[in-house]
């Protein structure tokens, strides 16, 4: 088992609102996610300006507005076990509903403790399944070792991930003395608790900062090399970009180890090793720091994180006081300029494939950065084409003002002048209408050319690729590779079928209801029909896959459903492939379907030989006059009632 202590807010107002939103509200819908017709749309939650125990208790208890709580047991000490929905909780407060209020009231009695919320997670390895008694016993032991045995707490067991874990929300303020517990060195205390609990309760031993020897004594775990700083690890995990720490480890750690082992290390040799990889060494913050020579003002890493033997104390004790790097080039003493930079840190490079095709990868990364910068410049400098609509309308109006003035000065007859005015107004209205039609055509032309609004990133890249830009073409290929990789990962989630029915493009059917299958719709349009919780038949639109069944009865239902899905398609381009026995069973189900149902849909395939077999089997079964009952599948519509499928049972091969 292991322990996790989530970081707290620096403003002393710990809030788990964003954490709850991240866990329970998924903005990005994944293609493989199941679509549920009963799922209500998730709306943005209102931000709570005064966070505290309430939000943390709601998160660890998975409490919803409609969730009911049932008290499972109450110990003589007043400790309750409450089942909140599907989450089993334990608390020493009056009740789970009032736990947050009780802890807030207790915490308010200590005005010096600005953040009384303490939260940690006990987690077990994937293959372990501890009992609730063992989990809550571990919680109470951990609180006791932290000096919080009598403090208020709420613990909740979560089984919705691969690793069973227990969230513990505790109040640092004592309910009687109102003194706040000092949590200094809490991580070490909890690590020690894990080692003790592993031995006493028989949990699997996990890695940690402490380990227990065969005699039951605890010792701090020694690490040959320090682990990566949290910031560097996050950069490489979430952005797939190599951190300066990762680059230094990859390039110079082994070289430093070899130099130390061969007793060749010195200040000059250390500077030389770092400089050949584009790195520099300087005194910083009371120690030594390694930085990027191409960006001295940028991020730096501790020298001891790269290699523990080049820390300031180690270097001072073995090689004397700090010596700065020699000059790269000195015209007075050319021998000082011996440093040679062979490579440098490229922060835009991806972590994967660090050594393969390095030069081309570097050039491609730089080209894509330039491509993105060009797009940002395009967006910044984009201006909509001015059609001068207002000016053109004013020109027409001014023209007919002059026409009317001319009529007024030349025509003396009032009736004729009035008639000429009306002709001018008519001509003006006609010119205005023609201008409106012309403006509409010009706006449509701008829209067709994509000049009515700035192009999106993908559209702009496509346009540049058409114009022959190599970086844009490389970017499009990268997107295509990513989509193919995601498609391969999606395909790997399904079992291997023993029969597949391929259809023509756009030959779709609705989802089906079957009393023998559970229908599950995924967000990419895939319809999976499950039996006993496992995929039995999957409709991908362009094909239907039939998977092996555990028994002949399930196999029969799967084949009947596949035949029904095929009968509802056009049958223009239907190809059935797979194992011969599986293909024969699907064909037989199609024959049974054609005999028993006369709804205008017929099971047929494109292969003439297979259709000959279907017709022969159909004629043979019709002569037998066998008509018992059997279940079938029906198409599902929005206003359908629950359908109990009924088929006719014919002898199976």
């Amino acid at each position: 088992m292991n322990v996790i202590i989530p970081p707290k807010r620096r403003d002393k107002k710990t809030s788990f609102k964003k954490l709850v939103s991240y866990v329970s509200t998924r903005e990005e819908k994944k293609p493989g996610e199941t679509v549920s017709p009963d799922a209500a749309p998730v709306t943005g939650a209102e931000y709570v300006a005064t966070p505290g125990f309430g939000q943390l208790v709601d998160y660890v208890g998975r409490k919803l507005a409609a969730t009911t709580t049932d008290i499972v047991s109450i110990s003589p000490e007043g400790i309750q076990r409450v089942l909140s929905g599907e989450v089993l909780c334990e608390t020493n407060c009056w009740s789970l509903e009032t736990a947050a209020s009780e802890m807030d009231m207790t915490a308010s009695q200590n005005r010096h403790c600005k953040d009384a919320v303490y939260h940690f997670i006990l987690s077990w390895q994937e293959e372990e399944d501890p009992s609730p008694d063992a989990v809550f016993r571990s919680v109470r032991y951990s609180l006791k070792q932290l000096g919080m045995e009598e403090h208020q707490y709420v613990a909740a067991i979560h089984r919705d991930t691969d690793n069973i874990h227990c969230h513990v929300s505790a109040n640092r303020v004592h309910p009687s003395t109102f003194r706040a517990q000092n949590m200094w060195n809490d991580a070490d205390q909890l690590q020690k608790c894990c080692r003790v609990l592993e031995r006493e309760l028989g949990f699997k031993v996990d890695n940690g900062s402490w380990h227990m020897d065969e005699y039951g004594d605890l010792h701090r775990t020694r690490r040959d090399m320090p682990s990566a700083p949290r910031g560097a690890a996050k950069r490489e995990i979430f952005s797939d970009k190599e951190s300066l720490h990762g680059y230094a480890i990859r390039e110079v750690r082994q070289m430093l180890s070899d130099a130390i082992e061969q007793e060749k290390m010195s200040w000059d040799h250390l500077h030389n090793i770092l400089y050949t990889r584009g790195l520099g060494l300087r005194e910083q913050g009371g120690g030594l720091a390694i930085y990027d020579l191409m960006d001295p003002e940028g991020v730096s890493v501790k020298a001891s994180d790269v290699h523990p033997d080049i820390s300031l104390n180690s270097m001072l004790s073995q090689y004397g006081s700090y010596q700065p790097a020699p000059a790269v080039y000195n015209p007075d003493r050319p021998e000082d300029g011996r440093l040679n930079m062979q490579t440098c840190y490229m922060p835009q490079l991806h972590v994967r494939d660090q050594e393969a095709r390095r030069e081309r990868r570097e050039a491609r990364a730089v080209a894509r950065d330039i491509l993105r910068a060009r797009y940002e410049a395009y967006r910044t400098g984009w201006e909509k084409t001015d059609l001068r609509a207002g000016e053109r309308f004013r020109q027409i109006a001014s023209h007919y003002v002059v026409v009317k003035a001319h009529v007024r000065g030349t025509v003396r007859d009032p009736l004729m002048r009035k008639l000429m005015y009306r002709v001018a107004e008519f001509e003006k209205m006609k010119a205005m209408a023609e201008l409106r039609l012309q403006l509409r055509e010009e706006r449509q032309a701008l829209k067709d050319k994509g000049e009515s609004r700035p192009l999106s990133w993908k559209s702009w890249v496509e346009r540049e690729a058409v114009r022959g830009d190599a970086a844009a073409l490389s970017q499009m290929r990268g997107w295509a590779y990513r989509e193919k990789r995601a498609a391969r990962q999606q395909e790997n989630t399904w079992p291997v079928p023993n029969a597949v029915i391929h259809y023509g493009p756009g030959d779709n059917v609705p989802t089906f209801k079957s009393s023998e299958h559970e229908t599950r719709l995924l967000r990419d349009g895939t319809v999976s029909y499950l039996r006993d919780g496992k995929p039995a038949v999957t409709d991908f639109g362009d094909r239907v896959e039939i998977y092996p069944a555990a028994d002949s009865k399930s196999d029969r239902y799967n084949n009947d459903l596949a035949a029904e899905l095929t009968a509802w398609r056009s049958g223009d381009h239907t190809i059935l492939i797979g194992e011969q026995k599986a293909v024969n069973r699907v064909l037989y189900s199609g024959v049974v379907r054609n005999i028993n149902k006369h709804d205008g849909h017929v099971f047929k395939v494109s292969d003439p030989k297979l259709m000959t077999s279907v017709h022969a089997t159909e004629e043979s079964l019709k002569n037998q006059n066998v008509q018992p009952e059997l279940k079938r599948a029906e198409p599902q519509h929005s206003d359908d009632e629950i359908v109990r499928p009924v088929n006719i049972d014919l002898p199976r091969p």
Side-chain angles (χ1 to χ4, degrees), residues 394-425:
R394 286 192 295 271
Q395 287 178 355
I396 294 174
S398 300
H399 172 72
Y400 285 99
V401 167
V402 174
V403 171
K404 289 183 178 180
H406 178 70
V407 171
R408 187 168 53 252
T410 57
V411 180
R412 296 302 178 184
D413 186 6
L415 293 177
M416 184 59 68
R417 186 168 55 242
K418 187 174 182 180
L419 179 61
M420 297 289 288
Y421 281 162
R422 295 197 176 183
V423 171
E425 284 292 335

Side-chain angles (χ1 to χ4, degrees), residues 115-136:
D115 191 352
V117 180
Y118 185 70
H119 177 216
F120 66 95
I121 306 168
L122 295 177
S123 177
W124 284 261
Q125 298 189 39
E126 184 175 353
E127 57 271 17
E128 290 189 284
D129 186 15
S131 64
D133 291 334
V135 173
F136 291 130

Side-chain angles (χ1 to χ4, degrees), residues 326-347:
V328 177
Y329 177 73
N330 188 349
D332 298 330
R333 296 186 59 190
E335 62 272 14
D336 289 345
R338 296 176 183 173
L339 300 182
N340 178 28
M341 187 183 298
Q342 300 175 5
T343 184
C344 63
Y345 171 53
M346 302 286 288

